[in-house]
Amino acid sequence: MTEAGAAGAEAAGPGWASVAIANPYGSIKMRVTEQGIPVAVKVDAAELHRDPTQLAAEMLRLCQRAAARAGLAKRKQLEEAGMSAAGLAHTGLPTEADVARQEIVEEQDYDTEPQSWLRTV
């Protein structure tokens, strides 16, 4: 991340966990909180030529995916700490099946192919 991105991650708050995520091509990289709130964003210049609505939708999907993965990690952490299955169910944190299902649906519902295979070097 850039210096501004690092400052944004610090601005998320002391002790807040953040998750790094990128699109499959690495042209959009983000750091988001466990709730999916972006605190640092890096977008390649080529991505800025896309339709803004599509770019925003992809960034939102990345935030949602990162939040789901962070929730799963938190669930595993609580499970390892000895929380009961009933307690875990009440947290509302996603299971591995929930995250996998969300990612499969996302891949089927959204066109994630690049606009062009050409990249600036």
Side-chain angles (χ1 to χ4, degrees):
M1 298 287 153
T2 64
E3 287 180 33
E10 291 170 7
W16 285 37
S18 62
V19 179
I21 192 161
N23 67 346
Y25 317 104
S27 56
I28 302 173
K29 298 175 185 166
M30 302 177 76
R31 182 164 293 282
V32 302
T33 66
E34 290 178 327
Q35 294 78 26
I37 300 168
V39 293
V41 177
K42 182 178 180 187
V43 179
D44 285 355
E47 289 288 341
L48 298 176
H49 298 290
R50 290 176 58 182
D51 174 42
T53 303
Q54 291 177 351
L55 179 59
E58 185 167 354
M59 292 172 73
L60 178 60
R61 283 191 297 276
L62 287 172
C63 288
Q64 292 169 338
R65 178 177 281 190
R69 290 179 181 176
L72 178 59
K74 178 66 86 177
R75 182 184 188 95
K76 288 180 180 181
Q77 182 182 28
L78 292 172
E79 189 174 40
E80 290 170 2
M83 183 177 263
S84 68
L88 287 171
H90 283 97
T91 64
L93 294 170
T95 64
E96 286 188 46
D98 294 336
V99 173
R101 186 174 29 259
Q102 176 187 351
E103 291 183 4
I104 289 170
V105 168
E106 180 182 304
E107 288 175 8
Q108 293 173 347
D109 286 350
Y110 299 103
D111 178 21
T112 57
E113 296 297 319
Q115 299 292 322
S116 170
W117 291 100
L118 301 176
R119 293 183 56 117
T120 57
V121 287

